[in-house]
Amino acid sequence: MPELPEVEALTAFLREHAVGRVVTRVDLAAVQAIKTFDPPLSALGGLELTGVARHGKFLDLDVSGLHLVVHLARAGWLHWRTGLPTAPPKPGKGPLALRVHLDSQDGTPPDGFDLTEQGTRKGLAVYVVRSPAEVPGVARLGPDALEVDRDAFVALLAGRSGQLKGALTDQTLIAGIGNAYSDEILHAARLSPFKMADKLTDDEALRLYDAMRATLAEALERQVGQRAATMKGEKRSGLQVHARTGLPCPVCGDTVREVSFADTSLQYCPTCQTGGKPLADRRMSKLLR
Ligand SMILES: [Zn+2]
């Protein structure tokens, strides 16, 4: 799932390649992706793309005062395309959700980008609004993980009941962190994902803050400047525990373990994070009973 570093990198990429160009047409291929109807998608046609911003994990394209806001969800991505086909795509076929055509420059074929989503569970969402705050998910966002200061972060956690994994991934508490980077941040902070957010010592809370900043900064450094197509691979190569179940922890050599939930899972290192004790995995224990 694209999280803060990937969306920030896409933002930087689009600023460099798309800002200043005119949106000539927008093709909708996945009808369920569009969540607004006024203004219509067609209102973007003929307008210049004047800016790109990120709000948490949302991408916000400012098209001369109208905003095309995108949430890539779990399996969505943005693919930069050169020489886009002029024929409209067939709706409902394949991973394509939305295609944005930009005007040609210096006589080259028109460029643009595709928003795609793999898999059968579709969550990619697109909004056309006059202000990004009209998107409910944007309006509810907590402070951005890259911008929140140390004291505010510590206060947010202290006021939060529930486990750290849930707190870090709650966009209304802190914006931008999802399943992958929360695993990475907790590993770097040497904290259990099941530890209660409001039970952290000052030292632990500061360690978590520093781990959050360092993990996101490293990921950003790897990704910004990458071509949009190669970013996902870069994300994988930088991970220490996320999606590495059964592999050795790069820090201590212990085996990375997993806890599974109904539709997601988390990974952690017992030696680094839980005093060597494996966490209970309800699904596994059900299977073994
Ligand atoms: Zn370890």
Side-chain angles (χ1 to χ4, degrees):
M1 179 198 277
E3 301 179 28
L4 185 156
E6 291 79 35
V7 180
E8 184 71 24
L10 286 175
T11 303
F13 181 89
L14 289 173
R15 274 192 196 125
E16 192 182 331
H17 292 89
V19 167
R21 299 177 67 173
V22 171
V23 174
T24 51
R25 201 175 88 208
V26 182
D27 299 329
L28 181 67
V31 179
Q32 79 279 358
I34 183 87
K35 306 301 179 192
T36 53
F37 57 89
D38 177 34
L41 260 179
S42 58
L44 301 171
L47 299 179
E48 183 185 331
L49 209 163
T50 46
V52 187
R54 179 185 61 78
H55 312 288
K57 295 187 273 186
F58 288 85
L59 188 62
D60 171 11
L61 293 100
D62 186 341
V63 187
S64 298
L66 289 179
H67 292 258
L68 178 66
V69 177
V70 178
H71 191 267
L72 292 166
R74 282 191 176 214
W77 196 242
L78 184 149
H79 298 270
W80 182 254
R81 303 272 314 259
T82 46
L84 275 173
T86 48
K90 287 202 181 77
K93 293 270 179 203
L96 181 65
L98 190 87
R99 174 168 289 161
V100 175
H101 300 256
L102 300 170
D103 61 343
S104 77
Q105 288 190 319
D106 313 322
T108 58
D111 293 335
F113 55 86
D114 286 347
L115 298 176
T116 62
E117 186 173 35
Q118 302 293 335
T120 50
R121 281 183 51 191
K122 301 297 186 188
L124 187 144
V126 176
Y127 310 78
V128 181
V129 287
R130 291 177 181 87
S131 158
E134 289 172 43
V135 177
V138 173
R140 284 196 299 265
L141 289 175
D144 194 82
L146 281 185
E147 282 163 19
V148 66
D149 70 33
R150 209 180 267 244
D151 292 345
F153 178 80
V154 171
L156 283 173
L157 285 182
R160 162 87 187 200
S161 58
Q163 297 166 341
L164 280 182
K165 174 75 179 178
L168 283 179
T169 52
D170 178 356
Q171 302 303 299
T172 67
L173 191 76
I174 301 154
I177 300 167
N179 194 28
Y181 288 107
S182 57
D183 282 352
E184 294 300 298
I185 290 164
L186 289 164
H187 177 253
R190 306 189 311 279
L191 289 168
S192 166
F194 288 173
K195 199 168 177 80
M196 291 296 155
D198 57 357
K199 299 281 191 295
L200 292 185
T201 64
D202 290 350
D203 177 56
E204 288 171 333
L206 293 178
R207 222 161 70 208
L208 186 59
Y209 180 80
D210 291 342
M212 175 179 79
R213 299 303 289 249
T215 301
L216 295 176
E218 278 165 32
L220 266 175
E221 199 164 306
R222 280 197 304 274
Q223 306 231 354
V224 172
Q226 293 273 332
R227 281 195 59 83
T230 56
M231 263 177 225
K232 270 184 171 171
E234 262 314 294
K235 174 175 174 180
R236 191 149 290 250
S237 74
L239 300 176
Q240 311 266 298
V241 286
H242 184 74
R244 297 190 74 250
T245 307
L247 295 170
C249 166
V251 173
C252 72
D254 193 359
T255 303
V256 172
R257 288 183 178 253
E258 174 171 296
V259 179
S260 305
F261 306 96
D263 60 350
T264 182
S265 64
L266 66 81
Q267 285 84 36
Y268 68 100
C269 167
T271 296
C272 290
Q273 294 175 258
T274 58
K277 275 184 243 149
L279 296 168
D281 183 339
R282 283 206 192 112
R283 202 178 66 173
M284 278 309 290
S285 29
K286 231 180 243 167
L287 289 172
L288 296 171
R289 208 181 291 159

